[in-house]
Amino acid sequence: MRFMTTPDNTADTAADTSAENTGVAAQDWTKASVDPQYRAAVVDLLGALAYGELAAFERLAEDAKLAPTLADKAELAKMASAEFHHFEQLRDRLAAIGAEPTGAMEPFVAALDGFHRQTAPSDWLEGLVKAYVGDSIASDFYREVAARLDSDTRALVLSVLDDTGHASFAVEKVRAAIDADPRVGGRLALWARRLMGEALSQSQRVVADRDALSTMLVGGVADGFDLAEVGRMFSRITEAHTKRMAALGLAA
């Protein structure tokens, strides 16, 4: 998956949902990682993110073949380079905390590859919508999780989820295409709705398949979500999606 945010960072508020951090979120990695279940959950999280960034690098390089101009190809190459740098940060962090990076990523290969197979863009514009809207849903989810992590891990996760500076590029290109041919808007709106469903399902599958990660999220370790907060979390993700659609000139 590729991670982007809205131009105004609408969904960037997950880490600010409480006035101050408590529990694990108030600790650094050294203190928090004493709990073996929390450590296992963080390894899972970083492994999922690392493979997501590696897959994003590969996918952007493939999408560049659909770019209509050399300038667009260069822009996608720049985006791919940024995603690979994020992968390297996560890989190095996994190694630094004593986890084998390939082993940490392996459990997530099937789910993430399946997501990308099911949402392969058919043209340049669908690829841009996927990068800007579809993958951002997963980014929002990981930001929500990051708010409950130790300070060191939280800083890394938020860093690799930062917009690489290309959100405005996607918005500009898609809006220009819709202005040129309004019929394009209907097709891309349907595509974006499909992406939302697939991205939410993929995020849920990633968590459900890993006991340590799911236990952390529902409150077994760290400062997990209760059922009411899960509902609020998905409301925030849906609201951010609606704003991204509006930025593109598409109906949610």
Side-chain angles (χ1 to χ4, degrees), residues 47 50 87 90-96 98-107:
F87 160 73
L90 292 159
R91 178 201 61 195
D92 293 348
R93 178 59 178 168
L94 282 164
E100 202 284 308
T102 301
M105 291 188 289
E106 188 63 39

Side-chain angles (χ1 to χ4, degrees), residues 141 200 204 229-239:
F141 172 77
L200 289 176
Q204 292 166 353
E229 180 58 22
V230 168
R232 289 191 291 270
M233 176 187 72
F234 281 107
S235 292
R236 290 191 292 269
I237 291 174
T238 301
E239 180 182 358

Side-chain angles (χ1 to χ4, degrees), residues 145-215:
V145 176
R148 289 159 170 79
L149 301 175
D150 67 272
S151 59
D152 297 320
T153 304
R154 182 170 63 249
L156 173 62
V157 170
L158 293 179
S159 174
V160 300
L161 294 180
D162 274 347
D163 178 16
T164 52
H166 304 286
S168 59
F169 173 79
V171 171
E172 176 187 354
K173 295 295 182 180
V174 172
R175 290 188 74 99
I178 294 172
D179 288 343
D181 182 1
R183 293 173 299 178
V184 170
R187 174 172 67 86
L188 293 180
L190 289 173
W191 170 244
R193 293 187 195 110
R194 178 187 168 194
L195 289 169
M196 183 177 187
E198 293 287 352
L200 289 176
S201 296
Q202 184 262 349
S203 296
Q204 292 166 353
R205 285 195 299 270
V206 165
V207 173
D209 287 347
R210 304 299 293 174
D211 289 342
L213 192 56
S214 60
T215 300

Side-chain angles (χ1 to χ4, degrees), residues 6 12 31 52 56 84 122 126 200-201 248:
T6 56
D12 194 34
K31 293 181 180 178
F84 192 77
S122 62
E126 286 189 2
L200 289 176
S201 296
L248 290 172

